[in-house]
Amino acid sequence: MKKWLFIMVAALITLVGCSAKEDKKEEPSSEKKVSVVLDWTPNTNHTGLYVAQKLGYFKEQGLDVEIILPGDAGADQLVASGKAEFGVSYQEGITQARVQDVPLVSIAAIIQHNTSGFASLASKGITSPKDYEGKTYGGWGAPVEQAVLQSLMKADNADINKLDIVNAGDIDFFTMMQKDIDFAWIYYAWTGIEAELRGEKLNMQYLTDYSEQLDYYTPVLATNEKMIKDNPDVVKAFVAATTKGYEYAIAHPSEAADILLEAVPDLDKELVHKSQEWLAGKYQDDAAQWGEQKLAVWENYADWMTKNNVLEGDFNAQQAFTNDFLPKKGAK
């Protein structure tokens, strides 16, 4: 009798345990699942996203965010088609997309000012756009490259017809410098810092040194019009959490660098830390808050693109970006 009683109790406990596990398994998550597509391999442009994920800022906003790489399809394509809710993009790409009726919208500027420029090893002796004459530029084949080069060279009384432009594809800057290419377009925050760590002195011509119209937002966070219309609360929650992530990276660059390294351990530790330190003051810079965008910046760059024959069609700058989802200053 005692034996049967023991068996019955054991069976009951097992059933209750299984039932509890099933109930737990079937309980739906209250967090909204969304994805954000990077524009490139993970780097310090993206740190705020990894911080928001690691420190629970997305969860605080009721979001379960997956950070994914673009693969063969770029971030803009995935976001525009609705296959991803958010992506890392660029003002130049969104401007081109808008005139082609692709409904991308910039929702925050990741870096407040354009930190890119044309770089060369100091040994090449390229100190101004005038020195581009007789040299070889390695690019990725975008029409805007030639337009920017021509704009800078014209401002320096140089002839772009004396410049050899080659498509170097995805070859990195340092490999290009070993392949008879004299200079390339880089972001100093990553490639420039890497050069410092390698002991390689670079000469840089920042785009912003030659034209205010080339001080555009690059990179930015983007979504599509349908997402804004159908799920404004999700967009607001995503931007709020991401803002908190970048604000943390601004205030705590070393800790933020460690978070990025934990998520992407293959990255070079010293490069990530030095880059993060350099970018900490660039994310927000002189803006009233991180992510803020100005209408004049969008209009000025589109005007430059039109004048330099890289933009055809009507562009409405007010529809290309919004500050509406940024947290109100002073709000917690």
Side-chain angles (χ1 to χ4, degrees):
M1 186 71 177
K2 288 182 179 180
K3 182 178 179 181
W4 278 107
L5 182 61
F6 175 79
I7 293 172
M8 290 176 66
V9 170
L12 182 60
I13 292 172
T14 301
L15 287 171
V16 170
C18 290
S19 178
K21 288 181 180 179
E22 288 175 4
D23 289 345
K24 186 176 181 181
K25 185 177 180 180
E26 292 175 2
E27 184 179 340
S29 172
S30 59
E31 295 169 357
K32 171 72 174 178
K33 289 189 176 182
V34 297
S35 60
V36 54
V37 190
L38 303 185
D39 56 322
W40 198 247
T41 54
N43 57 68
T44 46
N45 281 350
H46 312 130
T47 305
L49 294 167
Y50 286 98
V51 169
Q53 187 179 62
K54 172 66 177 179
L55 298 186
Y57 298 157
F58 287 131
K59 288 186 179 294
E60 287 176 0
Q61 295 290 336
L63 300 178
D64 178 4
V65 176
E66 181 184 12
I67 301 173
I68 60 178
L69 300 180
D72 293 334
D76 283 354
Q77 182 179 338
L78 292 172
V79 174
S81 65
K83 293 180 180 178
E85 288 78 12
F86 304 100
V88 177
S89 184
Y90 309 86
Q91 182 174 334
E92 58 266 49
I94 291 178
T95 301
Q96 290 277 15
R98 297 294 311 187
V99 299
Q100 297 169 14
D101 296 323
V102 178
L104 290 173
V105 181
S106 175
I107 51 178
I110 292 177
I111 301 174
Q112 189 60 212
H113 294 285
N114 190 347
T115 60
S116 72
F118 296 111
S120 60
L121 299 179
S123 58
K124 301 281 187 179
I126 301 173
T127 60
S128 74
K130 178 68 176 176
D131 296 325
Y132 297 169
E133 292 183 346
K135 301 295 193 300
T136 299
Y137 166 77
W140 59 92
V144 71
E145 289 178 280
Q146 182 163 342
V148 172
L149 285 163
Q150 184 168 357
S151 180
L152 267 61
M153 292 182 74
K154 184 177 180 181
D156 208 24
N157 297 313
D159 183 1
I160 194 171
N161 294 314
K162 297 179 180 179
L163 170 66
D164 186 19
I165 300 175
V166 300
N167 189 343
D170 293 333
I171 300 176
D172 72 272
F173 173 79
F174 300 100
T175 303
M176 278 194 270
M177 294 302 102
Q178 298 173 0
K179 293 182 175 293
D180 298 323
I181 292 175
D182 298 300
F183 69 106
W185 195 344
I186 71 166
Y187 285 96
Y188 194 86
W190 194 257
T191 307
I193 298 298
E194 184 178 357
E196 289 182 14
L197 296 175
R198 286 170 174 247
E200 296 275 10
K201 181 174 173 51
L202 297 185
N203 285 331
M204 281 283 297
Q205 290 82 54
Y206 290 98
L207 271 56
T208 54
D209 289 339
Y210 294 88
S211 173
E212 289 185 1
Q213 290 186 303
L214 293 177
D215 190 11
Y216 52 86
Y217 299 117
T218 176
V220 300
L221 288 177
T223 188
N224 60 61
E225 289 181 355
K226 188 175 188 302
M227 188 71 186
I228 289 175
K229 180 182 177 182
D230 296 347
N231 300 283
D233 290 344
V234 174
V235 179
K236 184 177 181 180
F238 178 80
V239 175
T242 303
T243 297
K244 199 170 178 180
Y246 279 98
E247 288 177 342
Y248 180 93
I250 291 168
H252 309 283
S254 181
E255 293 85 346
D258 286 336
I259 289 172
L260 177 59
L261 286 164
E262 181 183 349
V264 195
D266 290 341
L267 294 176
D268 182 88
K269 181 177 180 179
E270 190 176 9
L271 173 57
V272 170
H273 273 270
K274 289 288 186 182
S275 175
Q276 199 63 64
E277 182 180 349
W278 192 87
L279 267 181
K282 304 290 192 298
Y283 287 131
Q284 181 174 333
D285 207 295
D286 56 357
Q289 68 181 112
W290 177 85
E292 182 182 71
Q293 302 173 80
K294 296 179 177 65
L295 178 62
V297 174
W298 283 86
E299 291 179 334
N300 286 341
Y301 183 59
D303 181 60
W304 178 90
M305 293 177 79
T306 300
K307 288 179 178 178
N308 287 274
N309 302 314
V310 290
L311 186 67
E312 295 182 2
D314 296 327
F315 175 70
N316 187 327
Q318 292 180 324
Q319 295 177 351
F321 80 99
T322 179
N323 290 318
D324 292 349
F325 298 103
L326 293 174
K328 302 300 180 185
K329 284 190 67 180
K332 298 295 183 183

